[in-house]
Structures are given as structure tokens and as C-alpha cells.
């Protein structure tokens, strides 16, 4: 059986976009809820039990199978055997997977106008250890040749993740949404744009040019020059976007500088955070002791005209866990051995309309209410943080 090695770190996160997609030939079809993963190209769905709907598998020795799984005909049991896959999501020694066969079928995105539909090569999962909630698939939205956006020629997409904060009035009044095609446009005149960079070594990822970090409006010192830069040739460094990972990972020196600045401004002693997330967070406070304090404002500064900036408040980088009474920093140092220097997770992106112009190579973001409901609307789920913590 051929393995599809999903790139790390696609399994450490929780908050993620989802949409409804119909698969079938019209006469027989099924609808599934899918998590959108902009870090990966692979599309897989949970196979419906026969005879409800059966997908035709692609032959193992076919050019599509060999290209998709980066394998050779020697890996096949026979030339007429099915194209089988194992999708492995791994992070810091932990692993979850889905297994099945590769199929080719018509996909239709529910709720778009004009309708987005077409043939998609995908994985039909017959077994999985992926701890999903109501979602029955993960749909790759990366730049890869076999991603959902590439196979259906979707040039633009956007998502808005509503705040998942029990103390935030915004979380009750706003919905999370995903828009495709020409519907994916700014909702205000206060949007900012930064180029989407591309690595020659890892061309499927969406890289952005992070140039600096500010704390309460002042440039943060202690970050080495070029800490966030993509190395020549793209083999290392750079900052990538994620829709599967809740927390944000910063280049180690940059993280240390941010942590020092926060500790200096938060007038309360840090506490042991081992009771939260298996001790994966190293700066935690007693939530009650900091309830009346003003937390500093962080700002991410990007490359582009007029140095576009993304302002962050406590909800973006501190998570309050009611079960333990802890409030922990959800920024962490980037683990060693990974090809990029930083990763911007979904908690950081909440309350922001994130617009990807794939063809134009540009990311536009704006603080705004969720795009209005309409025929282009697709609902976006926000899974519980517990999923992340189980995988740290």
C-alpha cells in the first residue's frame, strides 16, 4: 500500500473551516461536511457504506495514481489493483491516519452561484483514526496540483472565523463562513494586502512576508534581522498560513522576545500551566488574577505597500480554559527540524476576513463582520480546542 505523507504540522490544531460538498453523478450522490486545510493538497472523504453509493477506484498502475502518490508501478500488487493510500498526519511523534483508495468523481460545492462543480481525484476513506466531530472529510486547499482549488480551477477563496470566546459578544452575533470564486472579496474599505510568497522547495504552501512585531504600537526589539525571511531557494525559513492549527508558532528568538515583552507588561505572576493541554503551553496565568488587567496589544507587520498590519487582542493570543481556570499564551516557539520559521494559526486569524487571491498571488485581510449570508455562503465550523490539546 502506498503512503501519502501529509506534511507536518497539519494535525496540531483545532479551529478550522468547513463546508458542505456533494459527491456523485446526480442520480446517486452524497453530501458531506469537510474541513478545509490550506496546508495540504489531498482531498479525502469518508466513503458511504454500500449500496448507498460506490465510487470507482483508479488503478494502481495508472499515471494519475503514480503521480498523486509519488510512487512507481513496482509498488502495486498488480497492474489491475486499486490505487490505495495511507494519509498520515504527524506532529512531534504523534500520528493519526486515514486509509482507503483513490477515486475519481464529480464534486459539487453546495450553495455557490454559479455552481462550482467538476471531476475531482480524491481519497475514499474506508478507515480512519482522525478525531473529527461532525465532519467526514478533509479537503486540501493548498496550491498543489491535486488540491480542491487546483482541480476545480478556483482562483479565489476567503474564510472568516468567528471568535470562539465565551466572554466575547462577537462570538454570539457572527457566523464563520467560507466563500469561493468572485464572492471572495473585501467587505470594507479598510482592507490590507500582502504578497503571497512561494517557495521553490515547498511550492504548495501559502507563505507571507512577516517583517516585524509590535507591542502596544512599538517595534519589538530582540528579533534577529531576517528571522521570518524565506531562505534563497525556499528550503527553509519563511512564514506559512494554516487553517488546521489553532496555535501560532514563531521563530524561537522572536517568540522569546514576545514572551519577555508580555511578561514585563502583565502585572501578575505566571503560574504552572501543566494542567492545561498536557503542559504544552509555557506562559500561563490564573484567569481570575488577570481578569481586571489590561493586556498589551500585539501587531503583526507584513511586507507590502504601507506596511500592512494585523492588530491582535487577547482573544487572538491568550486562551482562557474554564475547566482549569488558566489563561495561557497560544504563541509557542517553532519546534526544530521543520522547514519554515513560523506558522500563523487560526486563533490569531479569528474576527478577520482572510481573502486568498491564488492566481494573483495576494493575501488580503480586514477586521470586519462576517460576509453577509447569501447564495455564496458556506458554513464554517469551529471545532473545540480539546482536539488540539490531545495532539500536542
Amino acid at each position: 500500500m502506498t503512503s501519502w505523507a501529509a506534511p507536518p504540522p497539519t494535525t496540531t490544531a483545532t479551529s478550522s473551516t468547513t463546508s458542505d460538498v456533494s459527491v456523485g453523478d446526480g442520480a446517486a450522490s452524497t453530501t458531506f461536511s469537510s474541513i478545509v486545510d490550506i496546508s495540504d493538497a489531498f482531498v479525502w472523504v469518508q466513503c458511504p457504506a454500500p449500496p448507498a453509493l460506490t465510487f470507482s477506484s483508479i488503478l494502481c498502475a495508472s499515471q494519475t495514481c503514480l503521480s498523486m502518490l509519488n510512487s512507481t508501478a513496482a509498488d502495486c500488487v498488480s497492474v489491475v489493483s486499486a490505487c490505495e493510500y495511507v494519509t498520515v498526519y504527524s506532529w512531534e511523534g504523534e500520528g493519526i491516519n486515514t486509509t482507503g483508495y483513490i477515486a475519481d468523481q464529480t464534486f459539487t460545492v453546495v450553495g455557490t452561484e454559479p455552481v462550482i462543480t467538476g471531476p475531482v481525484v480524491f481519497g475514499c476513506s474506508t478507515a480512519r483514526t482522525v478525531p473529527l466531530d461532525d465532519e467526514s472529510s478533509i479537503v486540501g486547499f493548498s496550491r498543489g496540483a491535486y488540491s480542491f482549488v487546483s482541480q476545480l480551477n478556483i482562483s479565489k477563496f476567503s474564510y472568516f472565523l468567528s471568535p470562539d470566546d465565551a466572554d466575547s459578544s462577537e462570538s454570539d452575533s457572527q457566523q464563520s463562513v467560507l466563500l469561493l470564486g468572485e464572492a471572495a472579496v473585501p467587505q470594507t474599505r479598510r482592507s490590507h494586502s500582502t504578497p503571497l510568497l512561494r517557495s521553490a522547495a515547498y511550492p504548495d504552501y501559502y507563505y507571507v512576508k512577516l517583517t516585524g512585531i509590535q507591542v502596544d504600537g512599538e517595534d519589538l526589539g530582540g528579533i534577529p534581522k531576517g528571522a521570518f525571511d524565506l531562505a534563497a531557494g525556499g528550503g527553509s525559513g519563511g512564514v506559512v498560513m494554516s487553517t488546521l492549527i489553532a496555535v501560532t508558532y514563531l521563530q524561537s528568538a522572536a517568540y522569546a522576545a514576545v514572551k519577555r515583552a508580555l511578561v514585563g507588561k502583565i502585572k501578575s505572576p505566571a503560574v504552572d500551566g501543566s494542567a492545561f493541554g498536557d503542559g504544552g503551553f509555557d506562559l500561563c496565568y490564573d484567569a481570575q488574577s488577570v481578569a481586571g488587567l489590561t493586556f498589551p496589544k500585539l501587531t503583526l507587520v507584513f511586507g507590502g505597500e504601507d506596511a500592512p498590519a494585523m492588530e491582535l487582542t487577547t482573544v487572538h493570543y491568550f486562551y482562557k480554559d474554564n475547566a482549569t481556570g488558566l489563561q495561557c499564551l497560544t504563541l509557542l516557539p517553532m519546534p526544530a527540524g521543520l522547514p519554515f520559521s513560523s506558522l500563523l494559526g487560526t486563533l490569531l486569524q479569528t474576527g478577520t476576513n482572510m481573502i486568498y487571491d491564488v492566481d494573483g498571488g495576494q493575501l488580503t485581510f480586514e477586521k470586519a463582520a462576517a460576509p453577509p449570508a447569501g447564495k455564496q455562503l458556506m458554513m464554517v465550523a469551529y471545532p473545540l480546542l480539546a482536539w488540539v490539546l490531545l495532539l500536542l
Side-chain angles (χ1 to χ4, degrees):
M1 181 177 290
T2 305
S3 291
W4 170 291
T10 55
T11 59
T12 54
T14 59
S15 40
S16 55
T17 59
T18 71
S19 65
D20 288 338
V21 180
S22 177
V23 184
D25 58 8
S29 63
T30 185
T31 299
F32 59 88
S33 180
S34 59
I35 291 179
V36 174
D37 178 10
I38 66 171
S39 307
D40 197 9
F42 191 49
V43 177
W44 67 266
V45 307
Q46 187 66 38
C47 288
L53 185 64
T54 302
F55 299 126
S56 298
S57 63
I58 291 175
L59 295 181
C60 181
S62 69
Q63 187 57 46
T64 298
C65 180
L66 301 182
S67 172
M68 189 175 192
L69 302 186
N70 193 27
S71 60
T72 67
D75 296 319
C76 300
V77 176
S78 71
V79 293
V80 295
S81 61
C83 180
E84 298 179 321
Y85 76 91
V86 176
T87 301
V88 179
Y89 298 81
S90 61
W91 178 254
E92 297 182 339
E94 297 292 336
I96 54 179
N97 66 75
T98 164
T99 62
Y101 61 88
I102 302 298
D104 184 353
Q105 188 60 268
T106 298
F107 277 51
T108 300
V109 182
V110 178
T112 60
E113 187 177 322
V115 174
I116 296 177
T117 186
V120 173
V121 177
F122 67 101
C124 186
S125 175
T126 55
R128 74 183 192 201
T129 60
V130 181
L132 305 181
D133 293 326
D134 295 330
E135 290 72 47
S136 55
S137 68
I138 294 181
V139 175
F141 262 55
S142 77
R143 288 163 155 166
Y146 289 100
S147 77
F148 198 69
V149 292
S150 296
Q151 293 195 70
L152 293 180
N153 297 313
I154 298 172
S155 62
K156 296 179 182 179
F157 66 90
S158 71
Y159 54 83
F160 176 93
L161 290 169
S162 66
D164 190 34
D165 183 1
D167 296 330
S168 172
S169 60
E170 292 183 2
S171 61
D172 296 327
S173 60
Q174 299 186 86
Q175 291 181 322
S176 299
V177 298
L178 172 71
L179 300 177
L180 304 179
E182 294 307 314
V185 296
Q187 304 298 309
T188 73
R189 295 183 179 181
R190 302 185 302 276
S191 62
H192 306 278
S193 297
T194 186
L196 282 171
L197 307 180
R198 195 159 194 167
S199 160
Y202 302 97
D204 292 359
Y205 288 101
Y206 296 104
Y207 286 83
V208 291
K209 186 174 179 59
L210 181 64
T211 60
I213 299 175
Q214 296 177 345
V215 179
D216 285 339
E218 297 184 358
D219 291 338
L220 181 62
I223 300 179
K225 184 179 180 180
F228 304 118
D229 289 352
L230 184 61
S236 62
V239 180
V240 297
M241 304 297 298
S242 175
T243 53
L244 273 192
I245 299 180
V247 298
T248 287
Y249 292 91
L250 294 176
Q251 189 267 354
S252 57
Y255 168 76
V258 170
K259 181 181 176 181
R260 284 194 301 269
L262 294 178
V263 170
K265 287 179 172 287
I266 299 173
K267 305 305 180 182
S268 181
V271 300
D272 180 9
S274 59
F276 177 57
D278 293 331
F281 300 97
D282 68 351
L283 181 58
C284 295
Y285 294 92
D286 180 276
Q288 288 187 339
S289 68
V290 299
L293 300 182
T294 300
F295 280 66
K297 179 188 295 183
L298 295 185
T299 302
L300 303 183
V301 182
F302 296 91
E305 294 184 12
D306 303 322
M310 181 183 292
E311 295 185 352
L312 309 177
T313 56
T314 312
V315 69
H316 296 109
Y317 62 90
F318 266 98
Y319 184 85
K320 183 169 66 174
D321 179 53
N322 293 327
T324 61
L326 294 172
Q327 191 158 345
C328 297
L329 179 67
T330 55
L331 307 179
L332 294 169
M334 195 71 182
L338 293 175
F340 18 79
S341 69
S342 303
L343 179 146
L344 305 186
T346 53
L347 289 177
L348 179 148
Q349 301 173 55
T350 58
T352 302
N353 194 24
M354 307 291 293
I355 307 160
Y356 291 73
D357 184 346
V358 182
D359 288 352
Q362 182 171 266
L363 172 65
T364 299
F365 56 90
E366 61 183 349
K367 291 295 181 184
K375 293 183 178 179
Q376 292 277 2
L377 175 69
M378 290 186 292
M379 300 307 297
V380 177
Y382 202 80
L384 297 176
L385 191 67
W387 183 28
V388 178
L389 304 180
L390 289 172
L391 298 175
L392 283 174

